[in-house]
Amino acid sequence: MILDKPEDNDKKFPDGDLTQDLMSKALDASISGIIITDNRQPDNPIIYCNAAFLRISGYSRSEIIGHNCRFLQGDDRNQKERSFIREAVKKGEACVIEIRNYRKNGELFWNELSVSPIFDTQGKISHFIGVQNDVSLRKKVEQDLRQQQVLMENQIAERTKSLKDSELFLSSIIQTVRESLLVLDPNFRVVSANDHFLKTFKVTSEETVGTKLYELGNHQWDIPKLRELLIDILPTNNPVEDFEVEHDFPHIGRKLMLLNAYRIELEGQFKDQILLAIEDITERREIERRKDDFLSIASHELKTPLTTIKGYVQAMERIVGNENDTRFRTFLSKTSKHLDRLNTLLAELLDVSRIQTGNIELHKVPFDFDKMVKESIEPIQAAANNHRISVQGSAGHSVEADESHIIQVVNNLLSNAIKYSPDANEVEIHIARISDFIKLSVTDYGMGISAEDQKKIFDRFYRAGDLQQRFPGMGIGLYICEQIIKNHNGTLWVESEKGKGSTFSFTLPIKTAK
């Protein structure tokens, strides 16, 4: 067992009864979230988290292992408490802070975090242990008390005016927005419906306002998924965003709708009311489907003539030999390279089509992860005259996955690292086994990615504005990579700062979940 200080190593538990399994169960029984990070690995990744940490953060274990704990702060990276943590880790000291964190669903919670170092037998810090408690309720009570002190003097005088202004403001929004909007009371009875809703669903104000949502139009709004949204989700006080509902309405046909719902928490008559926004995305989704069908058909149809052309070019290369015109051989070589690039592009488009239709096929078998990485690097390094690719660490273990798809991910990340760091000369790869995951990171020292672009970098066909002119491409490589890793039950993410390079990392479970 490793204790906090090297001089404590002679302390033992009686009779050796406290096994690793018992310790794990004891940690999982704790109501406090507990994580352990490996200080010996770059970026101090999380290697253990207990059940309470999963419950508090809302993330699954596969989304946590391998990440630095700062991911809990999301985009809220300017908190002064972060510098306290960095300083404590740098000095190897314990610290206790209160910091704003965000659950997976985006909900803010206040975290009382205690960080302590763990020393190995040589007196060096090998790990850090973090214990967190959700103190949001206490912070909310404190905040409410402060607000009450400020508001008490003006509350009576302002209440009537505030309610009137709010009612007029809400009414103007509902009537002018070009989207179907409903305001519901706590019993899901319609308080207000805008003109767009009435026109879209072919109903009148008289038969809508004052009626329960589920009873509208002879119960055509009695939709199970809508009931789930209103009854089970909204009482948590969390906004519901982009909740898809598909339903066949008797008079207007089948509609695919995107629902967004928010609680209106104003005093008086507006308390606990619900604003429900309904966006009809039926036509948009059909356009997307047709676009995907076109990509799939076009890619398949172009593959056949390209394969034929490639065959003719290869035949001409054999016929020409080494004694014929040098310029002609050069033209044939360049033609062959461009055909290869076009074939690669068509293969990526086909991958996108398969992903969108859910037809991506994975053939998972065990393979040597370190050997795969080494063999992937060799041809890229041979072609990259201005960059040196270095590898640190190793997995030391085989992985059960689709090797060809994982090679595709590694090749894409390495090619991007070289492509987007034209003025640098080094790309670093770090491999490590962390718990029951393998983590691979690719670091470049190039252009970097802005915080805004990082939010969309894995979206299909997305390209950062400042890259489109300088670096041609379609913006589908990273989208494909993320989908491949996601289908392997791993995660792919990026850490970057504009002008200072980027690190793309992914984790893979060592064994496929049964």
Side-chain angles (χ1 to χ4, degrees):
M1 171 171 182
I2 300 176
L3 299 172
D4 280 2
K5 296 182 180 179
E7 57 266 37
D8 291 334
N9 282 333
D10 58 339
K11 298 178 182 178
K12 305 291 183 182
F13 285 95
D15 303 324
D17 291 335
L18 191 58
T19 64
Q20 183 176 357
D21 181 58
L22 184 57
M23 291 175 64
S24 178
K25 289 180 179 178
L27 290 175
D28 275 340
S30 172
I31 63 173
S32 298
I34 298 173
I35 60 171
I36 299 175
T37 66
D38 191 343
N39 192 53
R40 300 166 299 183
Q41 298 284 351
D43 209 26
N44 220 346
I46 298 171
I47 62 171
Y48 170 83
C49 58
N50 72 342
F53 184 86
L54 303 179
R55 184 175 64 254
I56 293 172
S57 68
Y59 288 90
S60 66
R61 185 171 178 272
S62 65
E63 294 171 319
I64 294 170
I65 297 299
H67 292 248
N68 183 282
C69 59
R70 62 173 170 267
F71 80 95
L72 286 174
Q73 284 95 59
D75 294 330
D76 193 4
R77 298 292 181 90
N78 294 323
Q79 303 181 57
K80 63 180 182 300
E81 289 79 5
R82 285 169 50 82
S83 62
F84 297 158
I85 298 176
R86 285 196 298 268
E87 192 66 18
V89 171
K90 183 178 179 181
K91 294 181 179 179
E93 298 174 346
C95 71
V96 179
I97 62 165
E98 290 183 359
I99 190 168
R100 293 187 299 274
N101 281 353
Y102 297 85
R103 306 187 210 280
K104 182 179 178 179
N105 64 8
E107 180 186 2
L108 166 70
F109 71 98
W110 281 92
N111 179 21
E112 184 184 69
L113 176 63
S114 174
V115 179
S116 301
I118 299 177
F119 298 83
D120 60 19
T121 55
Q122 283 77 41
K124 295 182 179 180
I125 297 175
S126 61
H127 300 78
F128 280 90
I129 184 168
V131 180
Q132 73 169 22
N133 291 288
D134 185 349
V135 294
S136 302
L137 182 59
R138 192 196 76 203
K139 298 290 287 187
K140 186 178 186 304
V141 171
E142 293 173 352
Q143 183 181 12
D144 289 344
L145 287 174
R146 288 194 297 270
Q147 290 177 343
Q148 282 295 97
Q149 292 173 354
V150 174
L151 294 176
M152 280 293 290
E153 296 180 1
N154 300 320
Q155 187 175 13
I156 302 299
E158 292 290 332
R159 180 176 298 170
T160 303
K161 182 179 183 299
S162 175
L163 285 174
K164 185 176 180 180
D165 290 346
S166 298
E167 183 178 4
L168 293 172
F169 180 66
L170 183 59
S171 178
S172 65
I173 291 177
I174 290 175
Q175 293 304 328
T176 56
V177 169
R178 298 186 63 182
E179 187 173 329
S180 296
L181 294 179
L182 293 176
V183 176
L184 310 176
D185 68 15
N187 296 317
F188 311 128
R189 194 177 299 274
V190 179
V191 175
S192 177
N194 71 340
D195 291 339
H196 196 278
F197 176 87
L198 302 178
K199 293 176 182 177
T200 300
F201 295 99
K202 301 186 186 324
V203 291
T204 65
S205 178
E206 288 76 13
E207 60 187 354
T208 302
V209 176
T211 305
K212 279 194 173 183
L213 178 64
Y214 307 135
E215 299 173 0
L216 287 179
N218 195 24
H219 295 271
Q220 63 180 344
W221 280 90
D222 194 357
I223 306 170
K225 289 188 71 175
L226 183 58
R227 279 185 176 270
E228 176 188 350
L229 181 149
L230 295 174
I231 296 175
D232 298 335
I233 301 177
L234 272 176
T236 63
N237 287 322
N238 294 325
V240 176
E241 298 180 346
D242 297 341
F243 190 90
E244 281 195 14
V245 172
E246 189 172 11
H247 187 64
D248 196 355
F249 292 92
H251 301 298
I252 60 176
R254 181 162 293 276
K255 292 289 184 181
L256 181 61
M257 300 170 290
L258 208 58
L259 305 184
N260 290 272
Y262 304 87
R263 296 184 72 89
I264 304 172
E265 298 189 2
L266 301 176
E267 293 186 26
Q269 66 188 76
F270 293 108
K271 187 171 179 60
D272 292 332
Q273 291 187 350
I274 299 166
L275 177 63
L276 180 63
I278 306 166
E279 182 183 359
D280 182 0
I281 60 170
T282 310
E283 185 176 350
R284 184 209 307 173
R285 189 58 57 84
E286 178 62 20
I287 292 173
E288 290 177 355
R289 187 192 64 77
R290 290 176 182 174
K291 181 173 64 176
D292 291 333
D293 288 345
F294 170 76
L295 287 177
S296 177
I297 294 170
S299 300
H300 276 292
E301 292 299 319
L302 288 172
K303 287 285 284 186
T304 301
L306 273 178
T307 302
T308 303
I309 296 171
K310 179 69 175 179
Y312 282 130
V313 170
Q314 291 174 339
M316 284 189 287
E317 287 177 329
R318 289 192 296 269
I319 294 171
V320 168
N322 296 322
E323 299 179 358
N324 292 68
D325 182 64
T326 303
R327 291 180 62 197
F328 186 60
R329 283 189 282 105
T330 301
F331 291 155
L332 283 177
S333 176
K334 290 183 177 180
T335 301
S336 181
K337 288 181 180 178
H338 284 293
L339 284 172
D340 289 338
R341 288 177 58 187
L342 192 51
N343 266 319
T344 300
L345 175 59
L346 289 176
E348 289 181 341
L349 288 174
L350 283 171
D351 282 340
V352 171
S353 176
R354 294 188 187 103
I355 290 169
Q356 288 300 111
T357 56
N359 292 326
I360 184 171
E361 294 184 3
L362 298 179
H363 304 284
K364 296 181 180 180
V365 294
F367 65 89
D368 188 325
F369 190 85
D370 294 324
K371 181 181 178 182
M372 178 275 296
V373 173
K374 180 181 177 182
E375 292 176 350
S376 298
I377 291 173
E378 289 175 354
I380 296 177
Q381 179 65 89
N385 299 324
N386 299 325
H387 291 78
R388 185 177 72 88
I389 303 174
S390 61
V391 181
Q392 298 177 355
S394 64
H397 204 285
S398 63
V399 174
E400 189 173 334
D402 188 315
E403 184 174 9
S404 63
H405 278 89
I406 302 304
I407 290 173
Q408 184 178 352
V409 173
V410 173
N411 286 346
N412 188 280
L413 296 182
L414 279 175
S415 299
N416 282 352
I418 293 170
K419 179 179 180 180
Y420 296 116
S421 58
D423 299 325
N425 56 16
E426 188 168 3
V427 172
E428 298 175 356
I429 297 178
H430 188 273
I431 310 170
R433 177 178 177 179
I434 301 176
S435 187
D436 50 351
F437 288 80
I438 299 298
K439 177 182 178 182
L440 182 142
S441 299
V442 177
T443 300
D444 67 68
Y445 298 93
M447 304 171 64
I449 307 167
S450 69
E452 188 64 29
D453 285 331
Q454 288 180 46
K455 298 176 183 178
K456 304 176 182 178
I457 196 70
F458 297 110
D459 289 354
R460 184 172 53 143
F461 300 119
Y462 179 80
R463 303 207 70 227
D466 57 345
L467 299 181
Q468 294 191 34
Q469 297 297 327
R470 188 174 178 185
F471 299 100
M474 292 187 65
I476 56 178
L478 288 176
Y479 167 78
I480 294 171
C481 289
E482 187 194 37
Q483 295 300 314
I484 290 173
I485 297 299
K486 185 181 294 184
N487 276 277
H488 281 82
N489 298 316
T491 57
L492 171 64
W493 69 96
V494 62
E495 298 270 353
S496 184
E497 188 174 343
K498 194 69 173 174
K500 296 186 178 180
S502 306
T503 297
F504 283 84
S505 303
F506 69 81
T507 56
L508 283 177
I510 292 175
K511 289 188 177 180
T512 304
K514 301 297 183 184

